[in-house]
Amino acid sequence: MTNARPDSRVRRDAWLAAGLLGIGAIVTALVDPAHPGRYPRCPFRAITGFDCPGCGSLRALHQLTHGHLMAAIDHNLLFVAFLPCAAVVWLRIVTGRTRGRVLPAWWARAAVITLIVWTVVRNLPVFGGMLRS
C-alpha cells in the first residue's frame, strides 16, 4: 500500500473519516447528550462555565439524527450550517474533483478564528440568550 497514489490515499482517508463520523452519529443518536451522566463532563464548561461549540454540536447532531432540524439549529447554528459545506467538500474528494486544487493558506486560520468568535458570541447574553445551547 506504500505505492498508493496520493489521490487514492486521500479518498481512502475521506471514506475512513466518513465511517468514523457515521459511527459517532449512530452513538449520538442512541445516547442523548442532553441527559446528564451519559457523556463525560465537558472540560471547557467545567473550567469556564461557558458553553463550548463541541457540546452544542453533540446535541445538534443528536437532534439531526432524529430529524429535528430546528432543534439542532437551536443547539448550534454554526455546526448545522457547516455540515452541507463539509458534505460538498467530501463529495468532491471522493469523486476526484479536487485534483490540483489546494485550499488557500488563510483558510485554516479563518476557520479557527470563526470557531473562536462563535464560541464567544454564543455565550453573550444577546437575543435573550437565544444562541446558548
Side-chain angles (χ1 to χ4, degrees):
M1 191 141 205
T2 58
N3 294 336
R5 293 183 11 213
D7 286 347
S8 64
R9 278 185 264 148
V10 170
R11 286 189 195 134
R12 180 200 64 213
D13 291 347
W15 279 105
L16 178 62
L20 291 173
L21 288 172
I23 291 169
I26 290 169
V27 169
T28 305
L30 297 174
V31 182
D32 187 357
H35 294 315
R38 302 237 172 129
Y39 288 90
R41 190 171 165 166
C42 173
F44 181 83
R45 187 168 190 160
I47 293 169
T48 67
F50 295 117
D51 291 333
C52 83
C55 296
S57 299
L58 195 62
R59 289 188 293 273
L61 180 60
H62 176 78
Q63 293 300 326
L64 285 173
T65 59
H66 290 275
H68 305 136
L69 178 62
M70 295 310 291
I73 288 171
D74 187 46
H75 286 298
N76 193 332
L77 174 63
L78 185 64
F79 176 75
V80 175
F82 168 77
L83 286 178
C85 300
V88 168
V89 169
W90 183 83
L91 282 171
R92 291 185 65 83
I93 289 170
V94 298
T95 60
R97 295 188 178 185
T98 58
R99 286 193 189 117
R101 295 185 182 185
V102 179
L103 288 174
W106 56 265
W107 187 88
R109 285 185 293 248
V112 170
I113 290 169
T114 300
L115 189 59
I116 291 169
V117 168
W118 175 249
T119 301
V120 171
V121 168
R122 72 189 304 244
N123 282 292
L124 294 175
V126 295
F127 308 116
M130 188 171 66
L131 297 176
R132 293 195 68 147
S133 56

